[in-house]
Amino acid sequence: MIIVMKPNAKKESIRNIIQIIEGKGLTAHISDGKEVTIIGVVGDKTKLQDQNLEISEDVDKIVPVTESYKLANKKFHPQPSVIKVGNVTIGGEEFVIMSGPCAVESREQLLETAHAIKKAGARILRGGAYKPRTSPYAFQGLEEEGLRFMKEAREETGLAVVCEVTSLAAIESAVKYVDMLQIGARNMQNFYLLKEAGKTGLPVLLKRGLSATIDEWLNASEYIIAEGNPNVVLCERGIRTFETATRNTLDISAVPVIKDKSHLPIIVDPSHATGVRKYVKSLAMGAVAVGADGLMIETHPDPAHALSDGPQSLTFPQFEELCAGIRPLAELMGKKF
Ligand code: PEP
Ligand code: MN
């Protein structure tokens, strides 16, 4: 439940209420808005039944939160969250593009890509060092060597870097090299991994599961935030449907739905959503128009020879064209890019 205080409620009343909540073994989360303070209560709220908090003259109302996710819920935190990744902010005024190869393949490939995407306007370099491939015989990633190249690319270009982690060992390595951890679609409900990623305190890019509902996705984000790590960015990357013309079906409505239900930023990945290079730009434009906070776009110096996801990867000129197309649209949506 949330306790909405009256405008200009006395600090002392707020403190008293927090004391009552904590005294019952529950947790209070404070959201200090411009006008009103909201106290979110996490835990067994029946313990507060005998407290009659409504009668405090500074309490405006008490609203039950029926959704199972609380900390990710907009009712708990009405202002949009702005997440810092290196020197980039996601969820605020900036429109943030993350780009790079599906898999880090070599030092040269990554550095060349990092320079090209930076020139076009991307702020964050992506690159997989641990690849969750459908086939066990497909390229599985360079692992720690790939992470070292990511760090080198960060130092050389000043871009922030994000890398997917698929195990606790990968998390333990990645924290030494990257600015943001990515939890991929296949691990969205790997609750152990979510908790371990939460414990690092690093920003986490949480991709939507292949067949996950928005409710399940927000509950997954709750696992990370419940570890004391509020730095979660959601990524819509397409879901499984009966349609086979594209690799997945981009659920563009996820953007306004998430904005309605949660304070977390959301970006869109049209590369994995379509699996087809020629459709990526149109869906990227659509994502900007529905209010996404950013994009994730796969790029490669030579997509025809990419070790992973070549058919959906853009060449550098195609990526530049995409960025140029998005710029006026992002500005129209009130974002800086
Ligand atoms: C990726 O970003 O490279 C990736 C594997 O994406 P997803 O988890 O969305 O399939
Ligand atoms: Mn990929």
Side-chain angles (χ1 to χ4, degrees):
M1 68 188 206
I2 58 169
I3 301 162
V4 183
M5 304 302 292
K6 287 194 178 141
N8 309 317
K10 290 186 286 302
K11 289 228 166 6
E12 197 194 325
S13 316
I14 297 173
R15 259 199 310 273
N16 277 344
I17 290 178
I18 295 170
Q19 243 168 29
I20 294 172
I21 294 167
E22 292 179 347
K24 294 282 180 185
L26 308 177
T27 320
H29 290 264
I30 319 305
S31 178
D32 259 326
K34 272 199 196 92
E35 271 148 38
V36 294
T37 296
I38 289 173
I39 305 171
V41 184
V42 178
D44 178 4
K45 59 180 188 297
T46 57
K47 291 184 182 162
L48 289 173
Q49 257 162 3
D50 55 348
Q51 290 300 319
N52 260 333
L53 294 172
E54 291 94 334
I55 58 166
S56 159
E57 59 172 79
D58 279 338
V59 169
D60 180 14
K61 57 185 172 193
I62 296 187
V63 184
V65 176
T66 46
E67 295 86 0
S68 46
Y69 51 91
K70 311 288 178 194
L71 305 172
N73 202 309
K74 201 169 168 183
K75 290 176 192 150
F76 259 55
H77 191 292
Q79 300 86 21
S81 282
V82 180
I83 310 298
K84 210 160 180 300
V85 183
N87 56 2
V88 183
T89 54
I90 309 179
E93 284 190 336
E94 288 185 79
F95 188 80
V96 178
I97 302 194
M98 308 181 184
S99 184
C102 181
V104 180
E105 297 168 9
S106 69
R107 180 173 175 273
E108 294 67 34
Q109 170 238 23
L110 191 69
L111 292 178
E112 190 185 342
T113 308
H115 284 290
I117 61 144
K118 183 181 177 184
K119 190 166 149 261
R123 303 292 313 277
I124 299 180
L125 175 68
R126 62 144 288 143
Y130 303 88
K131 294 308 303 174
R133 304 303 298 279
T134 302
S135 162
Y137 309 117
F139 177 60
Q140 303 286 310
L142 295 181
E143 304 190 347
E144 188 141 354
E145 189 185 22
L147 293 173
R148 278 198 290 273
F149 296 152
M150 290 293 279
K151 188 171 178 206
E152 191 180 340
R154 173 174 68 172
E155 279 159 12
E156 209 174 290
T157 60
L159 291 167
V161 297
V162 57
C163 206
E164 178 170 355
V165 286
T166 51
S167 64
L168 177 57
I171 291 178
E172 284 168 351
S173 296
V175 293
K176 296 181 267 174
Y177 302 100
V178 304
D179 302 290
M180 182 181 219
L181 303 175
Q182 176 174 321
I183 301 281
R186 288 155 193 81
N187 277 311
M188 190 207 83
Q189 281 188 314
N190 183 338
F191 301 119
Y192 169 77
L193 199 64
L194 295 171
K195 286 192 222 172
E196 292 299 327
K199 284 180 199 157
T200 66
L202 276 182
V204 178
L205 182 68
L206 179 63
K207 291 191 130 192
R208 182 175 181 180
L210 305 166
S211 305
T213 64
I214 286 176
D215 192 81
E216 288 164 340
W217 189 13
L218 287 171
N219 272 292
S221 77
E222 186 87 4
Y223 271 89
I224 300 168
I225 307 173
E227 292 299 324
N229 183 353
N231 306 307
V232 179
V233 176
L234 301 170
C235 178
E236 162 61 40
R237 46 79 71 207
I239 47 174
R240 282 271 166 96
T241 69
F242 53 81
E243 182 53 71
T244 54
T246 48
R247 182 178 178 181
N248 293 288
T249 298
L250 180 65
D251 180 11
I252 199 86
S253 60
V255 176
V257 173
I258 288 289
K259 294 273 174 204
D260 181 42
K261 294 183 179 298
S262 177
H263 52 90
L264 297 175
I266 175 168
I267 69 163
V268 168
D269 169 357
S271 303
H272 290 89
T274 60
V276 185
R277 183 179 308 123
K278 65 182 171 188
Y279 302 140
V280 169
K281 186 180 170 193
S282 309
L283 291 191
M285 303 276 278
V288 183
V290 291
D293 296 295
L295 290 166
M296 170 173 272
I297 308 283
E298 282 187 344
T299 45
H300 195 282
D302 180 10
H305 294 100
L307 296 182
S308 174
D309 285 349
Q312 69 198 31
S313 300
L314 301 191
T315 62
F316 302 146
Q318 287 166 340
F319 180 64
E320 265 180 50
E321 195 201 313
L322 180 146
C323 291
I326 275 169
R327 191 158 282 120
L329 200 51
E331 280 163 15
L332 202 63
M333 293 300 294
K335 294 274 195 185
K336 286 195 192 129
F337 170 58

PDB file of all heavy atoms in Angstrom, residues 222-248:
ATOM      1  N   GLU A 222      11.501  -6.286 -10.128  1.00  0.00           N
ATOM      2  CA  GLU A 222      11.341  -6.144  -8.676  1.00  0.00           C
ATOM      3  C   GLU A 222      12.419  -6.951  -7.930  1.00  0.00           C
ATOM      4  O   GLU A 222      12.906  -6.536  -6.881  1.00  0.00           O
ATOM      5  CB  GLU A 222       9.936  -6.608  -8.282  1.00  0.00           C
ATOM      6  CG  GLU A 222       9.567  -6.379  -6.825  1.00  0.00           C
ATOM      7  CD  GLU A 222       8.970  -4.989  -6.566  1.00  0.00           C
ATOM      8  OE1 GLU A 222       8.770  -4.211  -7.513  1.00  0.00           O
ATOM      9  OE2 GLU A 222       8.724  -4.692  -5.386  1.00  0.00           O
ATOM     10  N   TYR A 223      12.787  -8.118  -8.472  1.00  0.00           N
ATOM     11  CA  TYR A 223      13.845  -8.928  -7.844  1.00  0.00           C
ATOM     12  C   TYR A 223      15.150  -8.141  -7.742  1.00  0.00           C
ATOM     13  O   TYR A 223      15.876  -8.244  -6.765  1.00  0.00           O
ATOM     14  CB  TYR A 223      14.103 -10.202  -8.665  1.00  0.00           C
ATOM     15  CG  TYR A 223      13.231 -11.362  -8.258  1.00  0.00           C
ATOM     16  CD1 TYR A 223      11.990 -11.564  -8.842  1.00  0.00           C
ATOM     17  CD2 TYR A 223      13.650 -12.259  -7.271  1.00  0.00           C
ATOM     18  CE1 TYR A 223      11.192 -12.630  -8.473  1.00  0.00           C
ATOM     19  CE2 TYR A 223      12.859 -13.323  -6.890  1.00  0.00           C
ATOM     20  CZ  TYR A 223      11.631 -13.505  -7.491  1.00  0.00           C
ATOM     21  OH  TYR A 223      10.840 -14.555  -7.121  1.00  0.00           O
ATOM     22  N   ILE A 224      15.455  -7.367  -8.786  1.00  0.00           N
ATOM     23  CA  ILE A 224      16.709  -6.594  -8.796  1.00  0.00           C
ATOM     24  C   ILE A 224      16.598  -5.434  -7.799  1.00  0.00           C
ATOM     25  O   ILE A 224      17.475  -5.225  -6.967  1.00  0.00           O
ATOM     26  CB  ILE A 224      16.991  -6.057 -10.216  1.00  0.00           C
ATOM     27  CG1 ILE A 224      17.126  -7.216 -11.202  1.00  0.00           C
ATOM     28  CG2 ILE A 224      18.246  -5.172 -10.228  1.00  0.00           C
ATOM     29  CD1 ILE A 224      17.109  -6.807 -12.667  1.00  0.00           C
ATOM     30  N   ILE A 225      15.475  -4.719  -7.870  1.00  0.00           N
ATOM     31  CA  ILE A 225      15.313  -3.537  -7.016  1.00  0.00           C
ATOM     32  C   ILE A 225      15.245  -3.947  -5.543  1.00  0.00           C
ATOM     33  O   ILE A 225      15.761  -3.249  -4.668  1.00  0.00           O
ATOM     34  CB  ILE A 225      14.054  -2.728  -7.421  1.00  0.00           C
ATOM     35  CG1 ILE A 225      14.073  -2.408  -8.926  1.00  0.00           C
ATOM     36  CG2 ILE A 225      13.980  -1.426  -6.626  1.00  0.00           C
ATOM     37  CD1 ILE A 225      12.793  -1.758  -9.439  1.00  0.00           C
ATOM     38  N   ALA A 226      14.633  -5.100  -5.280  1.00  0.00           N
ATOM     39  CA  ALA A 226      14.496  -5.562  -3.894  1.00  0.00           C
ATOM     40  C   ALA A 226      15.859  -5.865  -3.259  1.00  0.00           C
ATOM     41  O   ALA A 226      15.975  -5.954  -2.031  1.00  0.00           O
ATOM     42  CB  ALA A 226      13.602  -6.793  -3.834  1.00  0.00           C
ATOM     43  N   GLU A 227      16.901  -6.007  -4.081  1.00  0.00           N
ATOM     44  CA  GLU A 227      18.260  -6.184  -3.537  1.00  0.00           C
ATOM     45  C   GLU A 227      18.900  -4.833  -3.194  1.00  0.00           C
ATOM     46  O   GLU A 227      20.084  -4.757  -2.916  1.00  0.00           O
ATOM     47  CB  GLU A 227      19.145  -6.926  -4.549  1.00  0.00           C
ATOM     48  CG  GLU A 227      18.762  -8.368  -4.774  1.00  0.00           C
ATOM     49  CD  GLU A 227      18.844  -9.232  -3.517  1.00  0.00           C
ATOM     50  OE1 GLU A 227      19.753  -9.006  -2.688  1.00  0.00           O
ATOM     51  OE2 GLU A 227      17.977 -10.122  -3.366  1.00  0.00           O
ATOM     52  N   GLY A 228      18.116  -3.760  -3.305  1.00  0.00           N
ATOM     53  CA  GLY A 228      18.654  -2.440  -2.966  1.00  0.00           C
ATOM     54  C   GLY A 228      19.253  -1.743  -4.178  1.00  0.00           C
ATOM     55  O   GLY A 228      19.989  -0.767  -4.029  1.00  0.00           O
ATOM     56  N   ASN A 229      18.955  -2.256  -5.370  1.00  0.00           N
ATOM     57  CA  ASN A 229      19.515  -1.673  -6.593  1.00  0.00           C
ATOM     58  C   ASN A 229      18.383  -1.127  -7.479  1.00  0.00           C
ATOM     59  O   ASN A 229      17.748  -1.877  -8.213  1.00  0.00           O
ATOM     60  CB  ASN A 229      20.313  -2.746  -7.338  1.00  0.00           C
ATOM     61  CG  ASN A 229      20.995  -2.215  -8.586  1.00  0.00           C
ATOM     62  OD1 ASN A 229      20.777  -1.064  -8.979  1.00  0.00           O
ATOM     63  ND2 ASN A 229      21.809  -3.045  -9.213  1.00  0.00           N
ATOM     64  N   PRO A 230      18.125   0.180  -7.400  1.00  0.00           N
ATOM     65  CA  PRO A 230      17.009   0.731  -8.164  1.00  0.00           C
ATOM     66  C   PRO A 230      17.357   1.035  -9.625  1.00  0.00           C
ATOM     67  O   PRO A 230      16.514   1.539 -10.367  1.00  0.00           O
ATOM     68  CB  PRO A 230      16.712   2.038  -7.417  1.00  0.00           C
ATOM     69  CG  PRO A 230      18.039   2.453  -6.871  1.00  0.00           C
ATOM     70  CD  PRO A 230      18.832   1.203  -6.608  1.00  0.00           C
ATOM     71  N   ASN A 231      18.580   0.702 -10.032  1.00  0.00           N
ATOM     72  CA  ASN A 231      19.060   1.140 -11.351  1.00  0.00           C
ATOM     73  C   ASN A 231      18.717   0.147 -12.461  1.00  0.00           C
ATOM     74  O   ASN A 231      19.587  -0.523 -13.010  1.00  0.00           O
ATOM     75  CB  ASN A 231      20.570   1.361 -11.296  1.00  0.00           C
ATOM     76  CG  ASN A 231      20.927   2.305 -10.182  1.00  0.00           C
ATOM     77  OD1 ASN A 231      20.378   3.401 -10.095  1.00  0.00           O
ATOM     78  ND2 ASN A 231      21.794   1.864  -9.271  1.00  0.00           N
ATOM     79  N   VAL A 232      17.433   0.070 -12.758  1.00  0.00           N
ATOM     80  CA  VAL A 232      16.976  -0.893 -13.768  1.00  0.00           C
ATOM     81  C   VAL A 232      16.426  -0.149 -14.984  1.00  0.00           C
ATOM     82  O   VAL A 232      15.654   0.802 -14.841  1.00  0.00           O
ATOM     83  CB  VAL A 232      15.881  -1.822 -13.190  1.00  0.00           C
ATOM     84  CG1 VAL A 232      15.395  -2.807 -14.255  1.00  0.00           C
ATOM     85  CG2 VAL A 232      16.396  -2.566 -11.961  1.00  0.00           C
ATOM     86  N   VAL A 233      16.846  -0.597 -16.166  1.00  0.00           N
ATOM     87  CA  VAL A 233      16.287  -0.087 -17.425  1.00  0.00           C
ATOM     88  C   VAL A 233      15.669  -1.294 -18.133  1.00  0.00           C
ATOM     89  O   VAL A 233      16.308  -2.347 -18.244  1.00  0.00           O
ATOM     90  CB  VAL A 233      17.388   0.542 -18.312  1.00  0.00           C
ATOM     91  CG1 VAL A 233      16.819   0.973 -19.659  1.00  0.00           C
ATOM     92  CG2 VAL A 233      18.045   1.722 -17.598  1.00  0.00           C
ATOM     93  N   LEU A 234      14.433  -1.156 -18.593  1.00  0.00           N
ATOM     94  CA  LEU A 234      13.756  -2.256 -19.285  1.00  0.00           C
ATOM     95  C   LEU A 234      14.035  -2.179 -20.781  1.00  0.00           C
ATOM     96  O   LEU A 234      14.257  -1.086 -21.315  1.00  0.00           O
ATOM     97  CB  LEU A 234      12.246  -2.170 -19.034  1.00  0.00           C
ATOM     98  CG  LEU A 234      11.837  -2.231 -17.555  1.00  0.00           C
ATOM     99  CD1 LEU A 234      10.361  -1.886 -17.408  1.00  0.00           C
ATOM    100  CD2 LEU A 234      12.124  -3.600 -16.962  1.00  0.00           C
ATOM    101  N   CYS A 235      14.022  -3.331 -21.444  1.00  0.00           N
ATOM    102  CA  CYS A 235      14.230  -3.345 -22.899  1.00  0.00           C
ATOM    103  C   CYS A 235      13.227  -4.288 -23.561  1.00  0.00           C
ATOM    104  O   CYS A 235      13.272  -5.504 -23.339  1.00  0.00           O
ATOM    105  CB  CYS A 235      15.668  -3.771 -23.219  1.00  0.00           C
ATOM    106  SG  CYS A 235      15.996  -3.869 -24.995  1.00  0.00           S
ATOM    107  N   GLU A 236      12.337  -3.696 -24.345  1.00  0.00           N
ATOM    108  CA  GLU A 236      11.380  -4.492 -25.139  1.00  0.00           C
ATOM    109  C   GLU A 236      12.115  -4.980 -26.384  1.00  0.00           C
ATOM    110  O   GLU A 236      12.650  -4.177 -27.147  1.00  0.00           O
ATOM    111  CB  GLU A 236      10.167  -3.614 -25.510  1.00  0.00           C
ATOM    112  CG  GLU A 236       9.314  -4.121 -26.653  1.00  0.00           C
ATOM    113  CD  GLU A 236       8.662  -5.484 -26.411  1.00  0.00           C
ATOM    114  OE1 GLU A 236       8.210  -5.733 -25.283  1.00  0.00           O
ATOM    115  OE2 GLU A 236       8.622  -6.291 -27.357  1.00  0.00           O
ATOM    116  N   ARG A 237      12.130  -6.295 -26.597  1.00  0.00           N
ATOM    117  CA  ARG A 237      12.912  -6.862 -27.701  1.00  0.00           C
ATOM    118  C   ARG A 237      12.098  -7.846 -28.536  1.00  0.00           C
ATOM    119  O   ARG A 237      12.648  -8.689 -29.224  1.00  0.00           O
ATOM    120  CB  ARG A 237      14.197  -7.515 -27.166  1.00  0.00           C
ATOM    121  CG  ARG A 237      14.017  -8.378 -25.975  1.00  0.00           C
ATOM    122  CD  ARG A 237      13.472  -9.752 -26.241  1.00  0.00           C
ATOM    123  NE  ARG A 237      14.436 -10.603 -26.892  1.00  0.00           N
ATOM    124  CZ  ARG A 237      14.119 -11.627 -27.674  1.00  0.00           C
ATOM    125  NH1 ARG A 237      12.840 -11.935 -27.895  1.00  0.00           N
ATOM    126  NH2 ARG A 237      15.051 -12.374 -28.227  1.00  0.00           N
ATOM    127  N   GLY A 238      10.761  -7.698 -28.461  1.00  0.00           N
ATOM    128  CA  GLY A 238       9.912  -8.587 -29.251  1.00  0.00           C
ATOM    129  C   GLY A 238       9.555  -9.835 -28.478  1.00  0.00           C
ATOM    130  O   GLY A 238      10.336 -10.315 -27.654  1.00  0.00           O
ATOM    131  N   ILE A 239       8.362 -10.341 -28.760  1.00  0.00           N
ATOM    132  CA  ILE A 239       7.878 -11.544 -28.074  1.00  0.00           C
ATOM    133  C   ILE A 239       7.467 -12.595 -29.105  1.00  0.00           C
ATOM    134  O   ILE A 239       7.259 -12.286 -30.272  1.00  0.00           O
ATOM    135  CB  ILE A 239       6.689 -11.211 -27.131  1.00  0.00           C
ATOM    136  CG1 ILE A 239       5.644 -10.337 -27.840  1.00  0.00           C
ATOM    137  CG2 ILE A 239       7.188 -10.535 -25.866  1.00  0.00           C
ATOM    138  CD1 ILE A 239       4.394 -10.077 -27.040  1.00  0.00           C
ATOM    139  N   ARG A 240       7.313 -13.833 -28.638  1.00  0.00           N
ATOM    140  CA  ARG A 240       6.887 -14.939 -29.495  1.00  0.00           C
ATOM    141  C   ARG A 240       5.411 -14.815 -29.829  1.00  0.00           C
ATOM    142  O   ARG A 240       4.589 -14.674 -28.924  1.00  0.00           O
ATOM    143  CB  ARG A 240       7.074 -16.261 -28.736  1.00  0.00           C
ATOM    144  CG  ARG A 240       8.473 -16.761 -28.673  1.00  0.00           C
ATOM    145  CD  ARG A 240       8.764 -17.636 -29.882  1.00  0.00           C
ATOM    146  NE  ARG A 240      10.196 -17.867 -30.009  1.00  0.00           N
ATOM    147  CZ  ARG A 240      10.810 -18.950 -29.538  1.00  0.00           C
ATOM    148  NH1 ARG A 240      10.131 -19.877 -28.899  1.00  0.00           N
ATOM    149  NH2 ARG A 240      12.101 -19.097 -29.723  1.00  0.00           N
ATOM    150  N   THR A 241       5.091 -14.857 -31.099  1.00  0.00           N
ATOM    151  CA  THR A 241       3.683 -14.935 -31.502  1.00  0.00           C
ATOM    152  C   THR A 241       3.590 -15.980 -32.614  1.00  0.00           C
ATOM    153  O   THR A 241       4.590 -16.627 -32.937  1.00  0.00           O
ATOM    154  CB  THR A 241       3.159 -13.588 -32.048  1.00  0.00           C
ATOM    155  OG1 THR A 241       3.799 -13.324 -33.299  1.00  0.00           O
ATOM    156  CG2 THR A 241       3.427 -12.431 -31.103  1.00  0.00           C
ATOM    157  N   PHE A 242       2.437 -16.096 -33.246  1.00  0.00           N
ATOM    158  CA  PHE A 242       2.291 -17.042 -34.361  1.00  0.00           C
ATOM    159  C   PHE A 242       2.929 -16.521 -35.633  1.00  0.00           C
ATOM    160  O   PHE A 242       3.085 -17.242 -36.612  1.00  0.00           O
ATOM    161  CB  PHE A 242       0.805 -17.349 -34.613  1.00  0.00           C
ATOM    162  CG  PHE A 242      -0.014 -16.103 -34.795  1.00  0.00           C
ATOM    163  CD1 PHE A 242      -0.045 -15.442 -36.016  1.00  0.00           C
ATOM    164  CD2 PHE A 242      -0.731 -15.580 -33.741  1.00  0.00           C
ATOM    165  CE1 PHE A 242      -0.780 -14.288 -36.180  1.00  0.00           C
ATOM    166  CE2 PHE A 242      -1.462 -14.403 -33.896  1.00  0.00           C
ATOM    167  CZ  PHE A 242      -1.488 -13.756 -35.110  1.00  0.00           C
ATOM    168  N   GLU A 243       3.316 -15.245 -35.673  1.00  0.00           N
ATOM    169  CA  GLU A 243       3.864 -14.630 -36.886  1.00  0.00           C
ATOM    170  C   GLU A 243       5.291 -15.102 -37.138  1.00  0.00           C
ATOM    171  O   GLU A 243       6.096 -15.133 -36.210  1.00  0.00           O
ATOM    172  CB  GLU A 243       3.831 -13.101 -36.724  1.00  0.00           C
ATOM    173  CG  GLU A 243       4.319 -12.343 -37.938  1.00  0.00           C
ATOM    174  CD  GLU A 243       3.599 -12.758 -39.210  1.00  0.00           C
ATOM    175  OE1 GLU A 243       2.423 -12.425 -39.351  1.00  0.00           O
ATOM    176  OE2 GLU A 243       4.213 -13.444 -40.060  1.00  0.00           O
ATOM    177  N   THR A 244       5.578 -15.458 -38.398  1.00  0.00           N
ATOM    178  CA  THR A 244       6.936 -15.929 -38.705  1.00  0.00           C
ATOM    179  C   THR A 244       7.693 -15.006 -39.671  1.00  0.00           C
ATOM    180  O   THR A 244       8.847 -15.255 -39.991  1.00  0.00           O
ATOM    181  CB  THR A 244       6.890 -17.342 -39.333  1.00  0.00           C
ATOM    182  OG1 THR A 244       6.013 -17.289 -40.469  1.00  0.00           O
ATOM    183  CG2 THR A 244       6.382 -18.374 -38.347  1.00  0.00           C
ATOM    184  N   ALA A 245       7.034 -13.935 -40.144  1.00  0.00           N
ATOM    185  CA  ALA A 245       7.690 -13.037 -41.105  1.00  0.00           C
ATOM    186  C   ALA A 245       8.860 -12.298 -40.449  1.00  0.00           C
ATOM    187  O   ALA A 245       9.811 -11.897 -41.128  1.00  0.00           O
ATOM    188  CB  ALA A 245       6.687 -12.040 -41.663  1.00  0.00           C
ATOM    189  N   THR A 246       8.769 -12.107 -39.143  1.00  0.00           N
ATOM    190  CA  THR A 246       9.864 -11.496 -38.394  1.00  0.00           C
ATOM    191  C   THR A 246      10.276 -12.480 -37.291  1.00  0.00           C
ATOM    192  O   THR A 246       9.500 -13.367 -36.928  1.00  0.00           O
ATOM    193  CB  THR A 246       9.428 -10.159 -37.758  1.00  0.00           C
ATOM    194  OG1 THR A 246       8.189 -10.357 -37.089  1.00  0.00           O
ATOM    195  CG2 THR A 246       9.260  -9.081 -38.824  1.00  0.00           C
ATOM    196  N   ARG A 247      11.497 -12.303 -36.785  1.00  0.00           N
ATOM    197  CA  ARG A 247      12.034 -13.255 -35.798  1.00  0.00           C
ATOM    198  C   ARG A 247      11.154 -13.306 -34.546  1.00  0.00           C
ATOM    199  O   ARG A 247      10.899 -14.347 -33.965  1.00  0.00           O
ATOM    200  CB  ARG A 247      13.450 -12.782 -35.450  1.00  0.00           C
ATOM    201  CG  ARG A 247      14.199 -13.652 -34.493  1.00  0.00           C
ATOM    202  CD  ARG A 247      15.609 -13.099 -34.283  1.00  0.00           C
ATOM    203  NE  ARG A 247      16.329 -13.902 -33.317  1.00  0.00           N
ATOM    204  CZ  ARG A 247      17.568 -13.655 -32.914  1.00  0.00           C
ATOM    205  NH1 ARG A 247      18.238 -12.625 -33.406  1.00  0.00           N
ATOM    206  NH2 ARG A 247      18.144 -14.414 -32.033  1.00  0.00           N
ATOM    207  N   ASN A 248      10.715 -12.127 -34.114  1.00  0.00           N
ATOM    208  CA  ASN A 248       9.772 -11.996 -33.001  1.00  0.00           C
ATOM    209  C   ASN A 248       8.760 -10.934 -33.423  1.00  0.00           C
ATOM    210  O   ASN A 248       8.869 -10.392 -34.516  1.00  0.00           O
ATOM    211  CB  ASN A 248      10.497 -11.545 -31.731  1.00  0.00           C
ATOM    212  CG  ASN A 248      11.457 -12.604 -31.212  1.00  0.00           C
ATOM    213  OD1 ASN A 248      11.029 -13.627 -30.694  1.00  0.00           O
ATOM    214  ND2 ASN A 248      12.757 -12.377 -31.379  1.00  0.00           N
TER     215      ASN A 248
END
